[in-house]
Amino acid sequence: MADFPDLSQFSSLVEVLDDAAARWPADRHMWAMRTDDGITLAWSAAEMQRRSMLAAWRLRALGLQEGDRLLTWSPSTPRLPALYWGAMRAGVIVVPLDLRMTRGVIERISARAETQWLAVDSGYDAPDPVEVGLDRFEVRQLEELTGDPDDAFPDAWEAQLRAWQQPDRSSLFEIVFTSGTTADPKGVMLTHGNILATIEAFSTLIGPRHQRAVSILPLSHLFEQAPVLFYATSLGAEVLYVRSRNPRVIFEALRELGVTIMVLTPQVLELFWSALTREVEKQGRTAQFARARSIARWLPYRLRRAIFRQLHEQLGGELRILISAGAYLPPELQQAWEDVGIAVVQGYGSTEMGIVTANDEWRHPKGTVGQVRQPATVKLHPETSEILVKSPSISSGYWRDEAATVASRDDEGWTLTGDSGHLDEHGDLILSGRLRNIIVLPNGLNVYPEDIESALTDHGLTQAVVLETEPGRIEAVVLPPGATPSVRAETAASIERGSDEDADMRADIERIVRAANADLSVHQRIAGWRLWPEPDFPRTHTLKIRRNEVRAWAGDDIALQVREAEEPSGD
């Protein structure tokens, strides 16, 4: 059974695991966790299958029935997918929570999901429900739910479990809630069929072959679940969970596993590239590195990797593909990785829709999010250029929120993405921005903040939020040049600068703003900038900036330090 399966033949995500348990050898450790003490929880597909059945039995023994909801709040670990698959077998609906969520957010989500059941992991980086006042929940540890059978298990428990009704493509697997920062978080309902359609689309981006991946994005996110959990399982891939985004720890894991592919957000790609270039700078090889890149980009990928052999050794020697989505990918960042022989594939989609468009490992032009991927169909609104989508990967709607579900579609059943864009002559989608972020100037012209932020990124200011602070006035709230996202808010160290260093930093920002303005149309130009007062912006679990919090800060009545941007010469 060595061949890869036909994904279209699966009726549920449970069948993906059961097929893998039968198809791939028992000595292949497809999941493991990297800790400071080394590798632990190294499980084969057959072992994952067994652990999922144990979890399913225990969930039913606790009294959870088909259709009940279970909150999961845990760092990534092999125990978490075991619980996911166990919940599927028991008919329990998973409600994954982001580790950054606060007590109030979790309480609002639990109220919407109508559940008091919460599964958590243990460990130094695992959340403690008692510390945030959630001890009133029915809390169970992942280790307890997925552990070996005890005396409470009857002799024939496996046979009894196999007789339970199994899910199909219409069965609800999970409800993924929005951040919950408002009083009314929306829960995206995802069925087995939705996610199977997403991984079918993903299979067109990366050809079926054995892969090894280091997982650092949260398993609460569809962008991690679909490719790195479910599609990887069908391929018999080896996945190593690392509980840190510290580049040093990650690079050690890459080398140990001999990683071949990684799924990352652009912000994490930037973190890794910054770590690599800092090492080059320490060695005094910056000029040599730049010259080598300028030559390598014209050569075949195998020769690029040969030129940068030492760099690849730091990455394990086998890394070929980086997959990016979730935010704007600067073309210069994509070019940088591809110069050294690693293809960067980016796509477009969302929790509600799965994958809609994407590049692939054979064709990955910069500046686009690729062509429409089956089974999705896309059209653009003739007036607003909003991207409209139909696909079996699209959620059936929002959990017990008929009004939000109806509002998410037009009269013909097309899903309203809220994003605008256009197709180039090759059929590649180029995004313009979020319609809700559009700035409508007093003269009626529309400005997409993302276009201006991209111009700033192109000139070296990668962390910025563009806002309209008063009618017709466009400003940028920025971090200093060279700033990178902090993995966690508590790890964002304050930077003390002397007066000369501070003046140089501000001069750099003003230079970048002027250069960006020179590339922008008159109505897009930045009138002033403000320096964000903290070491990093508030961010989501995938390191996206929480724009509403920045917008609220910029609208505060407190006097803020503002620098007027000089007008560029010319039109």
Side-chain angles (χ1 to χ4, degrees), residues 341-523:
I342 301 173
V344 180
V345 175
Q346 68 170 320
Y348 165 70
S350 68
T351 303
E352 286 90 341
M353 298 183 296
I355 294 175
V356 176
T357 71
N359 298 312
D360 56 45
E361 63 174 313
W362 306 279
R363 180 180 177 277
H364 35 90
K366 289 173 283 296
T368 85
V369 290
Q371 299 176 342
V372 177
R373 294 287 163 175
Q374 292 184 346
T377 304
V378 168
K379 74 174 184 178
L380 302 179
H381 190 282
E383 296 178 1
T384 64
S385 296
E386 181 175 8
I387 302 163
L388 309 177
V389 182
K390 285 185 178 180
S391 174
S393 64
I394 293 176
S395 164
S396 60
Y398 297 103
W399 174 254
R400 296 184 178 174
D401 193 340
E402 184 63 24
T405 300
V406 171
S408 69
R409 292 163 171 76
D410 69 10
D411 294 340
E412 298 178 358
W414 291 89
T415 293
L416 310 174
T417 66
D419 297 314
S420 65
H422 67 275
L423 298 171
D424 68 12
E425 65 273 19
H426 303 293
D428 291 305
L429 180 63
I430 299 174
L431 298 176
S432 299
R434 294 288 293 167
L435 290 173
R436 70 183 181 189
N437 292 336
I438 284 181
I439 298 170
V440 181
L441 300 177
N443 60 10
L445 293 175
N446 292 338
V447 173
Y448 290 98
E450 294 88 348
D451 288 345
I452 303 172
E453 290 160 8
S454 298
L456 290 170
T457 294
D458 292 344
H459 287 281
L461 197 59
T462 62
Q463 307 299 321
V465 176
V466 170
L467 306 166
E468 184 183 35
T469 55
E470 58 184 64
R473 180 179 175 84
I474 296 173
E475 294 186 21
V477 181
V478 305
L479 297 182
T484 56
S486 298
V487 176
R488 302 187 182 199
E490 61 269 24
T491 65
S494 297
I495 300 174
E496 297 294 333
R497 297 185 181 87
S499 58
D500 290 344
E501 188 178 10
D502 185 73
D504 289 344
M505 178 266 292
R506 293 179 182 278
D508 279 346
I509 295 174
E510 291 176 3
R511 174 186 56 77
I512 290 170
V513 170
R514 287 196 301 271
N517 276 344
D519 291 343
L520 295 167
S521 299
V522 173
H523 67 281

Side-chain angles (χ1 to χ4, degrees), residues 33 35 40-41 73-77 79-80 99 119-129 139-144 146 243:
M33 186 167 69
T35 69
T40 185
L41 300 178
W73 197 29
S74 169
S76 292
T77 162
R79 294 189 180 110
L80 190 52
L99 288 177
V120 300
D121 195 28
S122 57
Y124 76 94
D125 59 347
D128 184 347
V139 179
R140 296 295 184 275
Q141 294 286 329
L142 293 183
E143 185 175 7
E144 169 193 352
T146 61
R243 289 190 173 180

Side-chain angles (χ1 to χ4, degrees), residues 96-177:
L97 302 174
D98 168 36
L99 288 177
R100 294 189 178 209
M101 286 178 173
T102 62
R103 170 184 176 179
V105 171
I106 293 175
E107 287 183 333
R108 285 193 290 274
I109 289 176
S110 69
R112 292 286 293 171
E114 300 175 2
T115 183
Q116 294 296 306
W117 289 100
L118 174 64
V120 300
D121 195 28
S122 57
Y124 76 94
D125 59 347
D128 184 347
V130 175
E131 283 187 0
V132 293
L134 298 177
D135 47 322
R136 65 179 178 80
F137 281 68
E138 292 286 348
V139 179
R140 296 295 184 275
Q141 294 286 329
L142 293 183
E143 185 175 7
E144 169 193 352
L145 293 170
T146 61
D148 288 324
D150 52 31
D151 294 340
F153 280 67
D155 291 339
W157 73 272
E158 288 189 55
Q160 293 179 39
L161 186 150
R162 292 184 187 279
W164 294 354
Q165 182 176 351
Q166 290 302 293
D168 58 26
R169 285 188 172 241
S170 66
S171 301
L172 187 58
F173 157 50
E174 66 180 343
I175 306 170
V176 181
F177 277 87

